[in-house]
Amino acid sequence: MKKYFAALSTTALICVAPHALAASNTPLKVTGFITPAACDINLSRGGLVDIGKKSVNDLHPTSNTLVDTTKIQLTMACSETMPFMLNPIDHRPNTAAGAGDYFGVGLTPDNEKLGFFDIAITASTADTTPVQAIGSSDGGATWAKQDRIKLGNQSSVAATSDHATRIEVKDLTMDLEIKTYIAGTDTLTIDNEIPIDGLATIEVWYK
């Protein structure tokens, strides 16, 4: 999982100077901030979930099979207390079998969707205090309780008593469960060994 450090635009003002023959002009203003703060985000186990080899005989013929559950921990250390959002990116887009907010694990040689993985948040602590994981589907305009890191949504944390209000954090710990599923064998062509190949990045947005 790579680390992402957000930078906002500088402030400038560009005005269209009046020409000798022009009767009017209009300003163009670009605004924003450069923040001196930054966060370092890491995943335990090096961000690697290795489920080993699974036999096709262990897979359900007509429904998804849970083949592995691995616990890892996400930690974030910031230089100062600040608001943040975690934004996931799926590097195997459009390969997840099932719901659209899961992460893909690649395709078979016949371009069949092999399965997906889900990222559950089982516990969160901010600055030594237990907090509630929350999510937003509109870029942070509104928030609600969300115990998963969902593709297409942003994640953050709130006080356990108020799930709609994001709080500022300096140090964050999230306990995660990565659950990997393989699609029903009736949708797959498995004539040879097929690699399970999921890859996602979690960005930190400072806003």
Side-chain angles (χ1 to χ4, degrees):
M1 302 291 183
K2 70 179 183 180
K3 291 173 282 187
Y4 176 88
F5 301 102
L8 301 180
S9 58
T10 54
T11 301
L13 177 65
I14 302 173
C15 293
V16 180
H19 190 273
L21 300 179
S24 62
N25 64 76
T26 183
L28 171 64
K29 188 176 182 180
V30 180
T31 64
F33 300 93
I34 297 293
T35 175
C39 297
D40 187 20
I41 183 171
N42 289 285
L43 290 168
S44 63
R45 305 172 62 98
L48 176 64
V49 175
D50 185 355
I51 69 170
K53 293 188 177 184
K54 302 296 181 182
S55 170
V56 67
N57 295 329
D58 297 329
L59 305 179
H60 196 279
T62 59
S63 61
N64 299 322
T65 301
L66 175 63
V67 294
D68 183 77
T69 299
T70 297
K71 295 181 179 181
I72 66 174
Q73 193 172 74
L74 180 150
T75 56
M76 186 180 72
C78 301
S79 57
E80 61 184 60
T81 300
M82 66 179 73
F84 77 95
M85 290 185 277
L86 301 179
N87 181 63
I89 300 172
D90 188 359
H91 295 288
R92 304 292 182 258
N94 304 313
T95 70
D101 56 14
Y102 296 133
F103 301 85
V105 293
L107 302 172
T108 70
D110 292 292
N111 288 320
E112 301 150 338
K113 295 179 179 179
L114 185 59
F116 61 91
F117 68 92
D118 183 30
I119 306 176
I121 305 171
T122 59
S124 300
T125 303
D127 303 320
T128 72
T129 300
V131 290
Q132 172 62 50
I134 55 175
S136 174
S137 61
D138 52 19
T142 58
W143 295 90
K145 182 178 178 181
Q146 178 181 290
D147 291 322
R148 294 170 53 225
I149 293 179
K150 298 170 60 173
L151 187 63
N153 283 24
Q154 289 73 50
S155 296
S156 192
V157 293
T160 55
S161 59
D162 182 2
H163 302 165
T165 304
R166 183 171 49 136
I167 61 173
E168 296 189 356
V169 171
K170 184 176 186 294
D171 296 309
L172 173 73
T173 300
M174 278 185 171
D175 294 330
L176 307 178
E177 277 189 352
I178 313 303
K179 297 183 178 182
T180 304
Y181 295 81
I182 300 300
T185 56
D186 63 340
T187 67
L188 303 175
T189 304
I190 307 178
D191 297 325
N192 295 289
E193 189 170 277
I194 300 173
I196 297 172
D197 183 31
L199 179 63
T201 296
I202 299 177
E203 297 179 331
V204 182
W205 289 359
Y206 308 136
K207 63 178 181 178

